[in-house]
Amino acid sequence: MAALPNPARSGPPGASAPVHPILALVVAVGAMAWAAPLIRFATAPALAIAAWRLAFSALFIGLVLLLRPGDDRRPKLSHREWGLTLLAGGREWGGIALAVAGAVVVGWGDLALGGRALLGDALALGGGVLMAVYLIVGRSLRPKMDLWRYTGLVYGTAAVLLVLAVLSHPAVDLTGYPRTDWLLFLALAAGPMMLGHTGMNYAVRYVPAYAVTLAALAEPIGSTVIAWLLPAIAEIPSPRTLFGGAAILIGIVVGLWPSASGEGGSEATGGP
């Protein structure tokens, strides 16, 4: 595997990452790992959960952009690059939808193995591919856009698409959920989205997209551990799951281990 660029040397000449990207990835994956356990306590449908977590995330970022000191760092993007930025939020929505559909179908496949199980695997794989494409797009655009503007456009686009999907779905309501669900929507936005996905979008400016994708493989492992240790869930993983999780973690560490001679070369300009 090619050497991972030294994050401290990435960015514009003489500049370094304000927060080490590997540390940002560790925090991001840890935050994202809470998504599945939190969703277990929600009564709302998966589509409504996804819509509100993105909507609240976009609102949080809007407040950051509104309250932070003014600056003149406007993104200088071509029409094609603006289109890619908006498409990144359409792809994130697609990845979420495919992942949710894949999880449902895989669950059915556990009861009756066969075509459904294979379809679930295909949907899960498709969600992973879309996530990888999303990060590759982010890798190309983040050097030209500050973190908050980029995530604001991406999350905002995804939120609009998801809300429209809810409104067009006769079996899913946009409102009318209990207070506990609304607290969970906020928690999902604050943790897995703002710390998790935003942390990944921060890191992808300084390290290759493959490195961020590789780190994201640890998310289900973290979710498994949380579900194991959380008394309200207390799901004990099988020895095979533990063995497989350990192998994945070892692979992630090996893949992300920076070379002592590795150097970065991002063309980033201004801001995290």
Side-chain angles (χ1 to χ4, degrees), residues 221-244:
I221 301 173
S223 298
T224 300
V225 172
I226 293 171
W228 182 11
L229 300 179
L230 204 63
I233 301 178
E235 289 185 351
I236 302 176
S238 67
R240 183 174 61 180
T241 299
L242 293 174
F243 177 79

Side-chain angles (χ1 to χ4, degrees), residues 64-76 144-149 269-272:
V64 171
L65 291 171
L66 182 65
L67 298 177
R68 73 175 183 171
D71 58 61
D72 57 359
R73 292 177 303 184
R74 297 289 187 268
K76 298 178 180 179
K144 301 179 181 181
M145 296 187 71
D146 120 288
L147 176 64
W148 301 112
R149 287 194 176 95
T269 57

Side-chain angles (χ1 to χ4, degrees), residues 187-243:
L188 287 166
M193 287 303 304
M194 293 301 294
L195 286 177
H197 285 269
T198 304
M200 293 180 71
N201 281 306
Y202 167 86
V204 81
R205 172 179 171 179
Y206 301 98
V207 297
Y210 80 81
V212 181
T213 305
L214 187 62
L217 293 176
E219 178 191 351
I221 301 173
S223 298
T224 300
V225 172
I226 293 171
W228 182 11
L229 300 179
L230 204 63
I233 301 178
E235 289 185 351
I236 302 176
S238 67
R240 183 174 61 180
T241 299
L242 293 174
F243 177 79

